[in-house]
Amino acid sequence: MEFFCYHRDRPGSLPLREELTEAHWSYMDGYEAELIARGPTFAADGETPTGSVHIVDLPDAAAARAFAFDEPCYQAGAFRDVLLRRWRNLLGRTMWDFPGGRTGGDRYLVLGLGTGEAADLAVPSQKDDLIAYGPLLSDDGTAWLGTAALVRAPDPARARAVLTADRYAAVEVHEWEFGGRR
C-alpha cells in the first residue's frame, strides 16, 4: 500500500532540523527500497525549509503511522503536524525514474485537499512534467480525500494548474526538491 506523508515544520525549528539531518537520513535509509519519492519543501524564498515529503510503499496503515511518527525530527518536535494518507501511484514509478532527472527546472509539491466528488483520478495530459501523481485516500482506500503531485513547472501557478480548478476545498503549492542521498 502506498502512503503520502507530509511533515510540516514547526516555526523556528530549522536549527533542530539541521542538527538531526544525519539521523533523519539514516532513518530514511532504512526505507530505501520502499520510498517512491522524498524531499524537502521550502518557503517562497526558496531556502527556508517548511516541511518534508515522503511517499512510501508499506504493508498497512499501522506501518505507515510508525514510519511517520517514529521519524527522528518528528520525535524531537521539529514538525508541527503530519498529513498521512493512503495514496495511489498513478505513474507507476519512483521519482528516481522521472525522465527529467533530479535537476533542471523548478519543482513543486501540489496538494489538493478534496471534498465531495472525486477529481483528477486520471493522469493529466502534461504528464512529462509529473514526478509523482496520485489521489489521497482514506485508510481503507475507499474515500477520495484529495490529490498530491510532485511537478516540474516554470512557476507556482503552472504547477497549480495540474489540478482541476474549483474541485478542491484548498490547494497548496510548495517549492520542493529531490531529497535523500541518491
Side-chain angles (χ1 to χ4, degrees), residues 4 9 28-29 35 53 76 95 109 126 158 163 170 172 174:
F4 174 88
D9 283 17
M28 291 302 155
D29 287 348
L35 284 166
V53 173
M95 72 179 201
L109 163 64
Q126 64 268 38
R158 295 279 295 276
L163 300 183
E172 301 173 17
H174 304 271

Side-chain angles (χ1 to χ4, degrees), residues 2 52 69 74 76 84 95 104 117 130 140 149 162-163 172:
E2 298 150 336
S52 190
F69 298 115
Y74 179 83
L84 180 62
M95 72 179 201
E117 187 177 333
L130 295 176
D140 65 4
V162 74
L163 300 183
E172 301 173 17

Side-chain angles (χ1 to χ4, degrees), residues 11-161:
S13 68
L14 182 56
L16 181 57
R17 290 247 346 239
E18 289 173 341
E19 178 184 323
L20 294 169
T21 297
E22 182 57 38
H24 167 77
W25 284 359
S26 293
Y27 181 79
M28 291 302 155
D29 287 348
Y31 290 94
E32 182 177 358
E34 292 84 7
L35 284 166
I36 295 167
R38 70 185 285 191
T41 59
F42 297 92
D45 66 10
E47 295 181 19
T48 305
T50 59
S52 190
V53 173
H54 297 92
I55 302 174
V56 62
D57 190 355
L58 295 168
D60 54 39
R65 284 189 287 280
F67 168 84
F69 298 115
D70 290 346
E71 192 280 333
C73 294
Y74 179 83
Q75 287 290 308
F79 298 126
R80 69 176 167 96
D81 61 52
V82 179
L83 174 66
L84 180 62
R85 296 284 184 256
R86 286 266 310 264
W87 187 76
R88 188 172 307 124
N89 186 355
L90 295 182
L91 298 177
R93 65 176 186 230
T94 71
M95 72 179 201
W96 298 278
D97 299 322
F98 172 59
R102 292 180 63 99
T103 59
D106 294 329
R107 314 296 171 101
Y108 299 91
L109 163 64
V110 181
L111 189 57
L113 304 176
T115 60
E117 187 177 333
D120 299 320
L121 295 176
V123 176
S125 60
Q126 64 268 38
K127 67 181 176 185
D128 291 346
D129 289 324
L130 295 176
I131 300 160
Y133 184 88
L136 298 169
L137 305 166
S138 59
D139 277 357
D140 65 4
T142 62
W144 175 83
L145 303 173
T147 305
L150 299 173
V151 182
R152 177 179 60 189
D155 57 60
R158 295 279 295 276
R160 164 59 179 94

